[in-house]
Amino acid sequence: MPIVNRVADLHADITEWRRDLHMHPELQYDVHRTAGSVAEKLKAFGCDEVVTGLGRTGVVGVIRGKKGGSGKTIGLRADMDALPIEEQTNLPYASRTPGKMHACGHDGHTAMLLGAARYLAETRNFAGDAVVIFQPAEEGGAGAAAMIKDGLMDRFGIEQVFGMHNGPGIPVGSFAIRTGPVMAATDEIDIDITGLGGHAARPHFCIDSVLVGAQVVTALQSIVSRSLDPLDSAVISVCEFQAGNARNVIPQTAQLRGTIRTLTPHVRELVEKRVHEVVAGVALTTGAKIDVTYKRGYPVTVNHAMQTDFATRIAREIAGEANVHETPPLMGAEDFAYMLEARPGAFIFCGNGDTAGLHHPEYNFNDEAIVHGTSYWIKLVENALAA
Ligand SMILES: [Zn+2]
Ligand SMILES: [Zn+2]
């Protein structure tokens, strides 16, 4: 089963929608134009239900199959938000809004799911409900969690949920997926050090916040190398270190900021605990006062085994056996993680070809990928809800 023929017919329309979204990027929850256009199209396609305002600006469409009510319901999710990046693609349809850009391909995700919705509403060759989910604020705003909090899963009776992201570096027409952890949890650490400032020539009367900060950074690096099982994964990156503004003054304070990535709840807990212990140890040996703020961000994105097998089978049918690969886990994060905590499902990568990377000012979603991604959505529904 290659791509769906009808999708090839729809390719021009879907491309047009995608480029229109690309020209009008919106950030976080402030996706009013995008959500409005999505809702309008879903109504025009003849969706049985179109609900707006879920998770502030999220949109949901329900399409009922013509083969009867199987009682089964599947959720498909796309994200709508862009990024605060100045676009440098020079495309004729480049962003019309300075400082905002669709640099993660969410324009493509939204357009492909709209294409699938149009096809599914036209054909309805399935038994049960297909629920298409368009969420705001994937880029750091936890829009998925907001939609779930507003009753997304229960209200529409969603039993399993699927997500897709484009993958630069993966050939167009190929897919990549894995069972278990596929993207990392991201947590933030803020470390504020208060020492005792003074003259650079009289360090014995001071508590040097720079030296304390250096010890904290070094000690944190021992967590991954010495507290973790070597077969587990984690990243601790301290990316900001601010202290002092004169060469002959030992500064009173220092601030460190960093990010922590982990792939299992167990490792996440271990790392968080060790961060507090290690910093408390440095405070004790140096006499500095050190405050740690550990803020949990998106959880680990964990693909469920059964749904991953199913998604892999569908991707293989569309792309061919040789073009569906097992991806290693990525240390980036995805708020689809919240949906996979709420319901079983799977997150897949759809090849975007040899383009600039995600979040790069020269990145662009590849319109050649549209037929593959859209066909995947359609076949996923028709097989999951087979009569
Ligand atoms: Zn992104
Ligand atoms: Zn993204």
Side-chain angles (χ1 to χ4, degrees):
M1 177 178 68
I3 61 158
V4 178
N5 284 333
R6 173 80 180 118
V7 174
D9 298 338
L10 293 174
H11 191 188
D13 283 353
I14 301 172
T15 303
E16 197 185 306
W17 304 337
R18 203 285 287 182
R19 294 182 178 191
D20 176 71
L21 294 171
H22 193 86
M23 274 192 279
H24 301 99
E26 297 175 300
L27 304 185
Q28 291 286 328
Y29 287 94
D30 199 14
V31 289
H32 299 285
R33 182 190 184 274
T34 309
S37 153
V38 165
E40 192 184 294
K41 286 188 176 66
L42 293 178
K43 282 177 198 155
F45 301 158
C47 285
D48 298 278
E49 249 183 276
V50 177
V51 178
T52 58
L54 216 68
R56 290 203 249 170
T57 39
V59 183
V60 176
V62 180
I63 305 160
R64 295 191 217 297
K66 70 179 177 194
K67 295 185 172 173
S70 64
K72 288 191 198 160
T73 303
I74 183 176
L76 316 177
R77 170 274 203 173
D79 37 16
M80 301 188 285
D81 58 323
L83 285 156
I85 294 176
E86 186 71 36
E87 180 160 350
Q88 289 171 18
T89 61
N90 291 319
L91 289 163
Y93 56 88
S95 169
R96 298 269 170 95
T97 312
K100 296 182 190 176
M101 171 190 181
H102 267 295
C104 205
H106 299 182
D107 49 347
H109 303 165
T110 297
M112 289 193 292
L113 190 55
L114 281 172
R118 177 157 157 195
Y119 175 95
L120 292 168
E122 263 174 30
T123 53
R124 298 177 185 264
N125 254 327
F126 54 92
D129 288 0
V131 178
V132 289
I133 305 161
F134 297 86
Q135 74 153 82
E138 192 287 321
E139 300 286 0
M147 288 189 80
I148 293 165
K149 198 161 159 269
D150 275 359
L152 171 69
M153 298 298 175
D154 295 331
R155 177 166 173 182
F156 301 99
I158 295 166
E159 294 161 321
Q160 44 180 353
V161 66
F162 292 84
M164 175 165 35
H165 207 291
N166 74 94
I170 302 170
V172 171
S174 290
F175 290 89
I177 191 169
R178 84 188 305 274
T179 191
V182 63
M183 297 198 71
T186 49
D187 299 336
E188 295 173 357
I189 39 168
D190 286 12
I191 298 172
D192 292 295
I193 298 164
T194 307
L196 183 60
H199 200 293
R202 296 157 62 86
H204 53 303
F205 292 121
C206 303
I207 296 172
D208 181 356
S209 63
V210 174
L211 184 63
V212 174
Q215 286 185 22
V216 167
V217 173
T218 308
L220 288 177
Q221 291 311 316
S222 74
I223 295 175
V224 173
S225 66
R226 285 298 174 265
S227 299
L228 236 63
D229 183 325
L231 298 180
D232 283 328
S233 303
V235 180
I236 301 177
S237 290
V238 177
C239 301
E240 286 180 48
F241 189 141
Q242 262 136 25
N245 50 17
R247 96 172 41 247
N248 59 353
V249 177
I250 290 175
Q252 174 95 3
T253 62
Q255 292 83 38
L256 310 177
R257 308 271 176 269
T259 178
I260 293 176
R261 312 286 169 117
T262 51
L263 286 174
T264 65
H266 160 72
V267 171
R268 191 183 200 188
E269 261 156 48
L270 176 71
V271 170
E272 180 173 354
K273 179 170 153 281
R274 290 295 293 147
V275 164
H276 287 291
E277 289 169 355
V278 160
V279 171
V282 175
L284 195 68
T285 53
T286 59
K289 177 175 171 290
I290 313 180
D291 295 315
V292 182
T293 310
Y294 191 107
K295 196 172 143 235
R296 287 195 168 206
Y298 291 172
V300 185
T301 304
V302 183
N303 275 344
H304 297 244
M306 246 175 67
Q307 283 72 20
T308 304
D309 286 349
F310 175 62
T312 305
R313 175 163 75 78
I314 300 303
R316 280 185 181 147
E317 285 176 12
I318 289 162
E321 196 84 16
N323 296 318
V324 181
H325 303 282
E326 187 178 343
T327 179
L330 306 174
M331 297 313 271
E334 207 354 291
D335 88 338
F336 189 66
Y338 291 109
M339 296 208 183
L340 291 178
E341 283 187 341
R343 291 293 184 274
F347 190 67
I348 197 167
F349 296 96
C350 176
N352 203 54
D354 189 20
T355 62
L358 301 173
H359 296 204
H360 190 280
E362 288 170 14
Y363 166 85
N364 189 26
F365 178 82
N366 192 335
D367 290 322
E368 297 308 311
I370 285 174
V371 286
H372 308 285
T374 309
S375 297
Y376 168 79
W377 280 140
I378 291 166
K379 288 299 167 189
L380 203 65
V381 171
E382 290 181 346
N383 282 275
L385 305 181

